[in-house]
């Protein structure tokens, strides 16, 4: 006789309350979270479990355990991906008939499926910004030796990251982790990504969700170009004469500007020491977010951190504290600028965007106000104006509800 088994890294007693004896597609509405769902290889449902929202996907036990372990390993490598919660096996219905196993992951708060993004009033370059985010994710995965095997917009979730997006891997079922990928593996993954994305954009075009001026094939080609450009910047061997050692620091600064820290740099000289070759060996994304975390304790997306660090620098100059300790100034900026700005947003509206994204958008709003009014607008005034003119009309992104996007599918892996 089959017995229900829940495999989890931490105790998850709340999972016992879910109706595991019922096929997932028949789960009652009272346990489901009102999130859009649609076409998928598998049955996927979103459920509320305590204060969390979880994604439950039915699949074969072997694939569930494999994906669970892969997601755990990717999380330990600090790769942006959904967090695995548990694998549930030994399911049977009330007649004793076996049911498929299930993998449970946390729903990524403030994340948006690509179809929901395109359903909103967006800037013309939205497709390009999504592709940029996906290219960065794919490069990060390939750098650690992860072969995805099914790269697509459907298998990715996006979070706002200042004026860009950050991409997160959702489905690792077809993936595999190697010590290092061959050029052939990387090329195949990239070619598959291009093909899938062009198809998905054509699907959006058919549903009249894509701007008429967007060229789906050009966007697919742009992914390849962006990937190759970033991969080259992070991995290429650079040669120069021994008296140009400043180029070592310049290379590191370029990588920092791209949002990467260099953990290990190989430096080789020729026999007589006249020529130097350098090549990054270990690069880690999140340069700006790590610096902000160190200074303020705020853990945010990298481009959000870049914007906040720029504001911190401007605040430091404005308060005439350029000669003070950076750590002390950062603490005072946090207490006197960031926290009061977020506190100015009514509590019931804060779930619409992450705090760091709210701060970024209020900074943008202040700039536009200052331009229109011909004077410097202080942050408290900008925050009040932003709340009244912009935020109240935005959907909640902490949990995109079905009512916000009832006509558009969320494609899960």
């Amino acid at each position: 006789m089959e017995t229900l088994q829940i495999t989890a890294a931490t105790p998850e007693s709340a999972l016992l309350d879910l109706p595991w004896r019922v096929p997932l597609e028949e789960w009652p509405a009272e346990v489901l979270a009102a999130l859009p769902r649609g076409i998928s290889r598998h049955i996927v449902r979103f459920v509320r479990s305590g204060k969390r929202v979880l994604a439950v996907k039915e699949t074969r036990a072997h694939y569930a355990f494999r994906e669970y372990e892969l997601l755990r390993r990717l999380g330990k490598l600090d790769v942006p991906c959904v967090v695995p919660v548990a694998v549930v096996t030994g399911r049977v219905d009330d007649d004793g008939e076996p049911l498929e196993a299930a993998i449970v992951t946390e729903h990524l708060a403030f994340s948006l499926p690509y179809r929901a993004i395109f359903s909103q009033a967006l800037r013309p370059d939205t497709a390009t910004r999504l592709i940029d985010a996906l290219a960065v994710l794919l490069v990060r995965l390939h750098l650690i030796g992860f072969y995805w095997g099914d790269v697509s917009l459907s298998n990715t979730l996006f979070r706002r990251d200042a004026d860009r997006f950050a991409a997160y891997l959702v489905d690792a079922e077809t993936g595999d982790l190697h010590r290092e990928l061959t050029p052939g593996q990387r090329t195949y993954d990239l070619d598959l990504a291009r093909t899938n994305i062009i198809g998905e954009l054509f699907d959006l075009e058919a549903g009249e969700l894509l701007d008429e001026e967007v060229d789906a094939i050009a966007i697919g080609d742009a992914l390849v170009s962006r990937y190759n450009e970033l991969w080259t910047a992070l991995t290429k061997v650079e040669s120069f004469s021994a008296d140009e050692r400043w180029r070592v620091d310049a290379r590191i600064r370029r990588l920092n500007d791209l949002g990467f820290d260099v953990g290990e740099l190989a430096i080789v000289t020729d026999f007589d020491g006249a020529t130097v070759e350098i090549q990054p060996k270990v690069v880690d994304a999140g340069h700006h977010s790590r610096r902000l975390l160190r200074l303020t304790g705020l853990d945010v997306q990298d481009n959000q951190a870049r914007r906040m660090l720029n504001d911190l620098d401007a605040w430091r100059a404005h308060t005439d504290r350029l000669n003070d300790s950076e750590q002390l100034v950062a603490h005072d900026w946090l207490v006197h600028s960031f926290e009061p700005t977020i506190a100015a947003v009514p509590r019931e509206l804060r779930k619409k965007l992450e705090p760091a994204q709210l701060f970024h958008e209020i900074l943008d709003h202040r700039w536009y106000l200052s331009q229109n009014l011909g004077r410097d607008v202080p942050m408290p005034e900008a925050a009040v104006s932003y709340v009244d003119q912009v935020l109240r009309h935005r959907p909640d992104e902490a949990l995109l509800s079905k009512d916000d996007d009832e006509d558009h599918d969320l494609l899960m892996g």
Side-chain angles (χ1 to χ4, degrees):
M1 178 179 177
E2 292 277 1
T3 57
L4 186 72
Q5 296 183 346
I6 298 178
T7 303
T10 57
E12 296 288 345
S13 58
L15 292 179
L16 294 171
D17 298 328
L18 295 175
W20 297 113
R21 297 178 68 85
V22 178
L24 187 55
E25 62 183 336
E26 298 175 12
W27 278 21
E30 57 264 25
V31 302
L32 301 180
L35 285 168
R37 59 178 184 265
I39 303 170
S40 171
R41 287 194 305 269
H42 304 280
I43 302 299
V44 178
R45 294 292 183 268
F46 295 99
V47 301
R48 297 187 183 276
S49 179
K51 294 183 178 180
R52 292 193 300 177
V53 173
L54 305 175
V56 182
K57 178 174 78 172
E58 282 186 337
T59 185
R60 295 181 181 179
H62 167 75
Y63 295 123
F65 280 114
R66 186 174 181 278
E67 184 170 11
Y68 176 80
E69 289 301 327
L70 271 176
L71 288 173
R72 288 189 66 195
R73 292 171 68 185
L74 290 176
K76 291 176 181 178
L77 292 169
D78 203 27
V79 169
C81 62
V82 292
V83 177
V85 174
V87 173
V88 182
T89 55
R91 299 175 60 209
V92 294
D93 64 17
D94 290 334
D95 296 325
E97 294 298 320
L99 299 174
E100 279 199 311
I103 178 172
V104 183
T105 58
E106 287 188 12
H107 171 68
L108 188 64
F110 296 102
S111 64
L112 298 164
Y114 80 101
R115 292 182 70 91
I117 292 172
F118 280 100
S119 73
Q120 303 171 9
L122 297 166
R123 289 161 39 180
D125 64 344
T126 294
T128 301
R129 290 187 292 145
L130 290 183
I131 292 306
D132 281 347
L134 186 55
V136 171
L137 175 61
L138 190 56
V139 166
R140 290 184 65 177
L141 290 169
H142 286 177
L143 283 171
I144 65 164
F146 183 78
Y147 170 77
W148 196 339
D150 193 12
V151 190
S152 66
L153 295 172
S154 302
N155 287 333
T156 312
L157 285 174
F158 297 90
R159 272 178 165 171
R160 297 188 190 279
D161 184 10
D163 59 348
R164 307 180 191 182
F165 289 99
Y168 287 73
L169 180 147
V170 176
D171 191 323
E173 184 174 304
T174 57
D176 205 2
L177 198 55
H178 302 265
R179 176 172 180 153
E180 183 178 350
L181 295 184
T182 66
Q185 287 173 315
R186 291 195 301 106
T187 299
Y188 184 83
D189 232 7
L190 188 57
D191 286 345
L192 184 60
R194 176 185 177 276
T195 300
N196 285 344
I197 287 164
I198 290 173
E200 288 168 324
L201 292 178
F202 278 147
D203 182 54
L204 289 175
E205 188 177 89
E208 299 183 350
L209 294 176
L210 197 64
D211 191 286
E212 293 180 358
E213 296 182 1
V214 174
D215 184 334
I217 295 177
I219 293 294
D221 292 339
L223 171 73
V224 176
S225 298
R226 174 65 172 140
Y227 172 95
N228 287 329
E229 173 189 344
L230 186 55
W231 183 266
T232 299
L234 294 174
T235 64
K236 76 173 181 179
V237 177
E238 186 175 353
S239 300
F240 48 87
S241 63
D243 59 358
E244 294 181 296
R245 294 181 182 180
W246 57 268
R247 291 177 62 174
V248 176
D249 185 59
R251 178 72 180 275
I252 293 174
R253 287 178 181 273
R254 285 200 303 273
L255 295 180
N256 289 165
D257 288 341
L258 290 171
F260 288 80
D261 281 327
V262 179
E264 183 180 323
L265 188 69
I267 303 179
V268 180
T269 61
D270 61 5
F271 182 75
D272 59 4
T275 302
V276 178
E277 286 188 353
I278 61 171
Q279 181 183 24
K281 289 295 185 181
V282 179
V283 290
D284 298 309
H287 169 75
H288 303 97
S289 58
R290 274 192 289 272
R291 182 180 168 220
L292 185 71
L293 181 63
R294 185 178 70 250
L295 289 172
T296 67
L298 296 173
D299 189 4
V300 305
Q301 305 285 351
D302 204 58
N303 286 302
Q304 292 169 341
R306 187 200 303 260
R307 182 70 187 278
M308 294 164 75
L309 288 168
N310 287 341
D311 186 66
L312 169 58
D313 289 341
W315 190 86
R316 188 179 189 183
H318 178 72
T319 55
D320 195 23
R321 300 187 61 183
L322 294 176
N323 295 322
D324 289 358
S325 161
E326 186 178 42
Q327 284 78 11
L328 289 176
V329 175
H331 175 267
D332 289 346
W333 169 86
L334 183 70
V335 171
H336 299 294
S337 181
F338 178 79
E339 290 178 347
T341 300
I342 300 304
V345 177
R347 184 177 299 275
E348 68 273 13
L349 299 180
R350 292 180 200 168
K351 63 182 179 179
K352 288 180 176 289
L353 292 171
E354 291 178 289
Q357 188 65 27
L358 280 172
F359 191 78
H360 160 75
E361 296 199 2
I362 292 171
L363 286 174
D364 270 357
H365 190 72
R366 181 179 67 168
W367 185 86
Y368 287 115
L369 280 180
S370 299
Q371 291 290 307
N372 291 334
L373 298 176
R375 62 177 175 84
D376 185 37
V377 175
M379 282 296 279
E381 180 182 344
V384 171
S385 174
Y386 171 79
V387 167
D388 290 338
Q389 297 181 23
V390 180
L391 188 61
R392 292 189 187 279
H393 311 289
R394 296 282 295 267
D396 296 348
E397 291 186 5
L399 188 63
L400 183 66
S401 72
K402 192 171 182 179
D403 292 336
D404 296 327
D405 191 32
E406 62 184 3
D407 294 325
H408 304 292
D409 295 332
L410 169 59
L411 302 181
M412 291 288 295

